């Protein structure tokens, strides 16, 4: 038995390509990418000869005219541009669309599917209208229009995937859409980083960011030293420095659904504990990512006068981000779902690196973060500060809670993205695919 049409899928993704989206099992995948010019996908995508990446142009918002007119022009441009890019490609067996953003992509992908005989698969990661509501308010006419559009067009797909059971139930009860829960899983390159690679990463980042540089020079000029590690000049062996700072990592798209003032307030409380004589390590806090609110929070960070905490906000290459997560001591997640129904992909990636996480709580977070098992859940800066104090007390303590969480993650034998895909999604696609005899 063979497929009657051996056509690969087409994948339409929002800005910043998730590293886990590397479909392409039997035939070529066309990956339409909207991303900043300096945003490079992971080498696993670039070096896969079954994946062709087609760049999409992002239209910056007009600086004149009413806001609704500016938004309308942008949507029309995106619709025409996406339609052109899809129609200029070889027709696909499936069109995968990650939502949000679904306006105007859902309607465009459905229309192209009708013309080319492609089946539309929507991967629901959140509701686009709920994200718009963070900026404009839930009752703004644009938000209400977006909700109506999303609800109407979302029913046009042949298959719906979603990231939580809570979202699956909401889609069924309130949208009349039957979906299958497919939890996000980390790609294979999200794993613990060997110590020698940690040292190489720290030395590389230290050339740009002072937080990674050693506070003192080694006695032997041939010895390499970072803020965390040291490579012996003779043996080449890498060791962790005694009295090193703890490395805390968070990643963000700097949008309204993440309140970094919570982390900054917790860091201030942590700093005060050190000044009061508590036995706690210095901290290097790395916040990665780009987004509209980065400049605002960078100004707030610049106003802090920390003595024992260094905060840096780098934009990392795709290959360096997993290495950083695999080198860190603790992850912090401030993602507070706009709908209360999605899960933060950053935590999935952190767990893939066996990195314990402190995460701000919301409705369905328990589907991913198990409190006191693989991390901790907090409500505000007071709780986060208390958790940092508890986790970093007597750091690094092999018998401490932080290492216990890491051990639990190491023993959990998590599924990887490709394994999850083959077990959950591939059978659904096979059921949708026409077959014919040789």
């Amino acid at each position: 038995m063979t497929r009657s049409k051996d056509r690969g899928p087409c994948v339409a993704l929002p800005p910043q390509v998730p590293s886990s989206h590397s479909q392409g099992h039997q035939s070529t995948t066309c990956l339409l990418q909207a991303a900043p010019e300096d945003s490079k996908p992971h080498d696993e995508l670039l070096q896969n000869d079954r994946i062709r990446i087609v760049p999409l142009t992002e239209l910056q918002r007009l600086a004149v005219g009413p806001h609704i007119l500016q938004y309308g022009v942008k949507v029309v441009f995106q619709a025409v541009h996406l339609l052109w890019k899809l129609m200029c490609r070889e027709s696909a067996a499936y069109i995968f669309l990650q939502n949000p953003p679904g306006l105007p992509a859902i309607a465009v992908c459905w229309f192209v599917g009708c013309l080319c005989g492609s089946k539309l698969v929507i991967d629901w990661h959140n509701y686009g209208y709920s994200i718009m509501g963070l900026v404009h308010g839930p009752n703004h006419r644009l938000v209400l229009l977006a909700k109506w559009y999303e609800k109407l067009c979302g029913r046009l797909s042949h298959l719906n995937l979603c990231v939580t059971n809570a979202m699956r139930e909401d889609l069924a009860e309130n949208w009349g859409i039957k979906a299958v829960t497919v939890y996000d899983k980390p790609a294979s390159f999200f794993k613990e980083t060997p110590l020698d690679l940690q040292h190489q990463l720290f030395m590389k980042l230290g050339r740009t960011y002072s937080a990674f540089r050693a506070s003192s020079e080694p006695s032997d000029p041939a010895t390499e030293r970072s803020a965390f590690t040291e490579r012996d000049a003779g043996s080449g062996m890498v060791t962790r420095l005694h009295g090193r700072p703890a490395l805390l990592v968070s990643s963000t798209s700097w949008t309204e659904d993440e309140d970094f003032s919570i982390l900054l307030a917790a860091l201030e409380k942590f700093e005060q504990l050190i000044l009061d004589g508590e036995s706690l390590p210095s901290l290097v806090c790395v916040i990665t990512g780009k987004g509209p609110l980065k400049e605002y929070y960078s100004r707030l960070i610049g106003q802090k006068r920390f003595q024992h905490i260094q905060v840096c906000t780098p934009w990392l290459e795709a290959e360096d981000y997993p290495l950083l997560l695999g080198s860190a001591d603790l992850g912090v997640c401030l993602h507070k779902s706009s709908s209360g129904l999605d899960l933060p992909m950053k935590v999935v990636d952190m767990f893939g690196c066996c990195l314990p996480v402190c995460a701000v709580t919301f409705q369905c977070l328990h589907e991913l973060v198990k409190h006191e098992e693989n991390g901790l859940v907090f409500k505000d800066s007071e709780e986060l500060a208390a958790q940092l104090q508890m986790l970093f007390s007597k750091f690094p303590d092999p018998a401490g809670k932080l290492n216990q969480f890491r051990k639990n993650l190491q023993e959990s034998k998590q599924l990887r993205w490709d394994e999850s895909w083959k077990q959950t999604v591939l059978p659904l696609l096979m059921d949708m695919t026409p077959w014919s005899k040789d």
Side-chain angles (χ1 to χ4, degrees):
M1 304 282 284
T2 60
R3 269 182 289 202
S4 58
K5 296 182 179 180
D6 188 17
R7 299 181 294 168
C10 174
V11 185
L13 297 177
Q16 205 170 36
V17 175
S19 55
S20 57
H21 280 78
S22 53
Q23 293 102 324
H25 299 280
Q26 304 257 342
S27 44
T28 301
T29 297
C30 176
L31 179 61
L32 278 74
Q33 172 195 1
E37 290 182 2
D38 57 351
S39 176
K40 183 175 77 74
H42 197 278
D43 282 343
E44 186 174 286
L45 287 176
L46 296 175
Q47 295 171 4
N48 192 321
D49 58 8
R50 291 180 175 176
I51 296 175
R52 288 183 292 118
I53 297 179
V54 179
L56 297 176
T57 301
E58 282 197 280
L59 178 69
Q60 300 301 317
R61 201 171 75 181
L62 300 178
V64 295
H67 179 75
I68 194 167
L69 175 63
Q70 297 175 24
Y71 191 77
V73 170
K74 184 174 182 178
V75 168
V76 170
F77 171 82
Q78 289 175 332
V80 173
H81 184 57
L82 180 59
L83 178 63
W84 174 259
K85 290 289 187 178
L86 287 171
M87 294 302 296
C88 288
R89 303 290 145 189
E90 182 181 348
S91 62
Y94 311 98
I95 299 176
F96 288 84
L97 173 66
Q98 182 175 304
N99 181 67
L103 179 63
I106 299 177
V108 173
C109 290
W110 170 79
F111 179 69
V112 171
C114 291
L115 294 179
C116 302
S118 306
K119 296 186 182 299
L120 175 61
V121 181
I122 299 180
D123 186 9
W124 296 84
H125 279 238
N126 201 351
Y127 298 147
Y129 80 87
S130 69
I131 297 175
M132 292 178 63
L134 294 175
V135 179
H136 304 293
N139 297 317
H140 192 280
R141 52 188 173 179
L142 276 178
V143 176
L144 296 176
L145 177 63
K147 182 178 182 180
W148 171 83
Y149 163 88
E150 207 166 5
K151 190 172 184 178
L152 175 70
C153 294
R155 297 170 181 165
L156 300 175
S157 59
H158 296 84
L159 175 64
N160 291 278
L161 312 175
C162 63
V163 294
T164 63
N165 288 328
M167 180 174 283
R168 183 196 67 204
E169 293 168 4
D170 187 75
L171 283 168
E173 293 174 10
N174 299 318
W175 296 53
I177 293 174
K178 183 180 178 181
V180 178
T181 302
V182 182
Y183 287 115
D184 278 324
K185 299 295 180 183
S188 58
F189 45 78
F190 284 98
K191 56 189 176 183
E192 292 182 272
T193 305
L195 191 56
D196 60 333
L197 288 182
Q198 290 187 32
H199 179 74
Q200 291 177 32
L201 176 68
F202 296 149
M203 295 301 294
K204 175 182 177 181
L205 295 176
R207 292 194 286 270
T208 307
Y209 305 102
S210 60
F212 292 91
R213 296 175 198 152
S215 58
S216 62
E217 293 297 323
S219 56
D220 184 349
T223 298
E224 285 186 346
R225 181 181 291 176
S226 72
F228 310 93
T229 54
E230 183 176 86
R231 185 190 296 277
D232 182 77
S235 66
M237 181 179 295
V238 176
T239 56
R240 290 185 173 90
L241 290 178
H242 177 72
R244 69 181 177 89
L247 179 55
L248 185 151
V249 174
S250 186
S251 62
T252 178
S253 52
W254 299 105
T255 50
E256 287 80 1
D257 60 351
E258 293 181 284
D259 183 1
F260 270 82
S261 64
I262 295 175
L263 176 58
L264 295 180
L267 292 178
E268 287 183 312
K269 293 177 174 66
F270 189 88
E271 165 100 351
Q272 189 59 51
L273 288 170
I274 297 177
L275 295 175
D276 291 342
E278 290 284 337
S279 178
L280 295 167
S282 298
L283 282 184
V284 172
C285 177
V286 181
I287 308 171
T288 71
K290 286 185 177 180
L293 294 180
K294 182 174 183 178
E295 186 177 338
Y296 167 76
Y297 281 111
S298 294
R299 286 198 301 269
L300 288 184
I301 293 168
Q303 294 169 7
K304 306 299 179 185
R305 294 293 179 261
F306 293 127
Q307 299 178 42
H308 301 278
I309 298 173
Q310 296 184 74
V311 181
C312 66
T313 56
W315 172 252
L316 298 177
E317 296 176 9
E319 285 72 36
D320 288 342
Y321 178 60
L323 295 178
L324 179 66
L325 294 188
S327 305
D329 298 299
L330 179 67
V332 172
C333 175
L334 294 159
H335 172 86
K336 201 164 188 177
S337 171
S338 59
S339 65
L341 300 172
D342 71 313
L343 292 173
M345 187 66 204
K346 69 195 74 177
V347 174
V348 174
D349 294 337
M350 289 173 181
F351 283 171
C353 297
C354 297
L355 178 63
V357 170
C358 291
V360 67
T361 188
F362 60 88
Q363 180 179 331
C364 65
L365 185 64
H366 65 276
E367 293 190 39
L368 177 60
V369 180
K370 313 298 182 185
H371 188 64
E372 293 284 355
E373 182 179 323
N374 54 19
L376 297 171
V377 173
F378 62 88
K379 296 194 297 287
D380 52 33
S381 61
E382 292 281 350
E383 283 196 1
L384 177 56
Q387 290 173 2
L388 294 179
Q389 180 184 8
M390 182 267 291
L391 292 173
F392 289 127
S393 178
K394 300 178 182 177
F395 175 85
D397 181 7
K401 182 81 76 172
L402 198 58
N403 273 348
Q404 185 58 54
F405 290 160
R406 188 181 295 274
K407 184 178 179 182
N408 291 343
L409 287 165
Q410 291 168 341
E411 294 174 349
S412 64
K413 294 182 172 59
Q414 307 171 68
L415 274 182
R416 295 292 163 164
W417 182 86
D418 53 346
E419 298 168 325
S420 175
W421 168 273
K422 291 174 183 175
Q423 289 184 19
T424 310
V425 181
L426 191 57
L428 298 173
L429 299 181
M430 303 298 272
D431 288 343
M432 293 168 52
T433 305
W435 297 82
S436 63
K437 294 184 178 180
D438 286 332

